[in-house]
Amino acid sequence: MNSMRPIRNISELERAGLIDADQAISLEAVTERYAVALTPTVARLIDRTDPADPIARQFLPDMAELAVTPEERADPIGDHAHSPVEGIVHRYPDRVLLKAVHVCPVYCRFCFRREMVGPQGLGTLDGEALDAAFAYIRGHSEIWEVILTGGDPLVLSPRRLEEILRQLADIDHVKIVRFHTRVPVVDPLRIDAALIAALKASGKTIYVALHANHPRELTGEARAACARLVDAGIVLISQSVLLKGVNDDPDVLATLMKAFVETRVKPYYLHHPDLAPGTSHFRLTIAEGQAIVSALRGRISGLCQPTYILDIPGGHGKADIGKSSVREVSEGCYSISDYRGGEHVYPPDP
């Protein structure tokens, strides 16, 4: 395997020793429907001796992806219902998504936009579509934050990123620009001086939401890439997805959240998996997720606690679904559960 080239098809997966010949034949049907891409960094992380490797599970195609359940949908979080112009999703009053690109350096097998991204997806916004998107942002003074997502916006060249950010620089009511990305983890050397300079071109406050799901993803190279961003004054927050067979274990999740904090990345969102087609093998029940998240309380610092959320299907936005530790037992009297599961009356009995 050429260490500098990404893996983009079944034959390359087979040559890299990531699947065998029998798997290659059957998996063609999966890759005809959903895009495949692994960077060399990700390929090196996969333990070829472990059939349950959590990195492989995230990125290697699986026949289970062809099993679509009745509740799954092509647009599970309702992007289309809130898209007034191409490339814009305006679900909440004070912020919009700007989906400038629909390609990624890697394709996650659980992706909630898997019907929209990849070579067969919606593509990159052309100049006319971008102009219309910026016109929409200019025309809505309530927009305080622009979130670049897609696709992964950091696959764009520094020149293209700078062009986008200079457009945003001229919109006074936009104060925050946020990027959702996997690049620092899956292609860390891409985070270089030119890219960082482009990110800062707008003069706005820049946030980067880093997507990682397993502590092994935060390699030394990934941590160094994050350090370059933080040292340049860019704030890093995390987003992860709670995935069966990847991080559905309190110890694994605790290690991941601690690794984020050690890397100067503030844990932010832990997503319940969305109802994307062919992803049921990744989904836990909400009750299972609540039990795992509850187990984090007390065992790791408050700095490390993410918010467990569900994007309500149909475009109704995010809801905090972390199990409440408080229940009212009588007027003015509550039962509070501690991190060990113990119950305590509040106010305490005199």
Side-chain angles (χ1 to χ4, degrees):
M1 180 177 63
N2 183 329
S3 63
M4 299 304 293
R5 288 184 62 248
I7 297 169
R8 297 191 183 279
N9 56 52
I10 285 292
S11 61
E12 291 176 354
L13 286 171
E14 186 180 357
R15 284 200 298 272
L18 295 169
I19 60 173
D20 60 32
D22 290 338
Q23 290 174 305
I25 295 170
S26 58
L27 288 171
E28 286 284 2
V30 179
T31 60
E32 285 172 3
R33 178 162 185 182
Y34 303 118
V36 171
L38 285 77
T39 60
T41 297
V42 168
R44 287 193 294 269
L45 279 178
I46 292 173
D47 182 353
R48 291 159 172 78
T49 68
D50 181 3
D53 179 62
I55 308 300
R57 185 167 172 82
Q58 292 183 69
F59 299 107
L60 296 187
D62 190 308
M63 291 300 294
E65 296 175 57
L66 298 180
V68 178
T69 61
E71 70 273 12
E72 292 175 343
R73 51 189 73 186
D75 182 18
I77 68 167
D79 279 356
H80 294 323
H82 296 278
S83 185
V85 299
E86 185 181 2
I88 291 286
V89 177
H90 195 174
R91 183 177 287 108
Y92 302 100
D94 72 336
R95 55 206 182 275
V96 295
L97 304 183
L98 174 57
K99 299 194 290 184
V101 62
H102 286 86
V103 297
C104 300
V106 295
Y107 292 107
C108 305
R109 309 321 301 171
F110 50 86
C111 179
F112 68 98
R113 292 197 178 111
R114 62 194 331 227
E115 301 278 6
M116 308 174 198
V117 300
Q120 80 283 25
L122 300 179
T124 301
L125 293 189
D126 60 23
E128 185 176 336
L130 265 178
D131 287 344
F134 290 129
Y136 181 87
I137 295 169
R138 286 191 197 95
H140 289 263
S141 60
E142 73 273 22
I143 297 173
W144 173 80
E145 180 182 24
V146 174
I147 303 167
L148 279 99
T149 182
D152 192 318
L154 296 194
V155 302
L156 294 170
S157 69
R159 180 185 62 80
R160 290 292 308 281
L161 284 171
E162 187 168 344
E163 288 172 357
I164 290 170
L165 283 158
R166 290 201 182 282
Q167 290 269 15
L168 295 175
D170 294 332
I171 305 176
D172 288 342
H173 55 265
V174 173
K175 305 299 183 184
I176 307 293
V177 181
R178 190 197 323 173
F179 291 83
H180 283 198
T181 184
R182 261 194 179 278
V183 166
V185 164
V186 303
D187 193 7
L189 295 182
R190 191 174 181 87
I191 307 299
D192 59 13
L195 186 141
I196 290 170
L199 292 180
K200 294 173 68 67
S202 67
K204 309 289 187 182
T205 299
I206 304 296
Y207 280 74
V208 168
L210 175 68
H211 179 178
N213 299 314
H214 193 275
R216 275 173 42 209
E217 296 176 59
L218 292 171
T219 62
E221 286 184 335
R223 294 182 187 224
C226 291
R228 291 192 289 275
L229 291 164
V230 175
D231 290 345
I234 294 169
V235 182
L236 266 64
I237 58 177
S238 80
Q239 58 174 355
S240 303
V241 186
L242 186 58
L243 299 167
K244 186 181 292 185
V246 175
N247 57 17
D248 57 332
D249 177 284
D251 291 332
V252 172
L253 206 56
T255 302
L256 173 63
M257 295 303 150
K258 284 183 175 180
F260 278 135
V261 172
E262 292 163 7
T263 310
R264 294 184 285 172
V265 180
K266 177 66 182 81
Y268 180 45
Y269 277 160
L270 177 66
H271 294 264
H272 190 78
D274 295 307
L275 297 174
T279 63
S280 62
H281 54 298
F282 286 109
R283 286 199 296 276
L284 300 81
T285 66
I286 286 178
E288 289 170 332
Q290 288 174 330
I292 291 168
V293 171
S294 293
L296 295 181
R297 287 189 293 117
R299 74 168 64 193
I300 54 175
S301 165
L303 290 172
C304 304
Q305 303 287 342
T307 301
Y308 182 34
I309 62 154
L310 172 72
D311 245 312
I312 303 170
H316 302 290
K318 295 178 174 64
D320 183 344
I321 57 171
K323 187 176 182 180
S324 175
S325 60
V326 180
R327 60 185 179 87
E328 189 169 20
V329 293
S330 62
E331 186 174 354
C333 183
Y334 301 86
S335 177
I336 314 293
S337 60
D338 65 31
Y339 73 95
R340 296 186 181 91
E343 295 281 332
H344 308 272
V345 174
Y346 180 88
D349 292 330

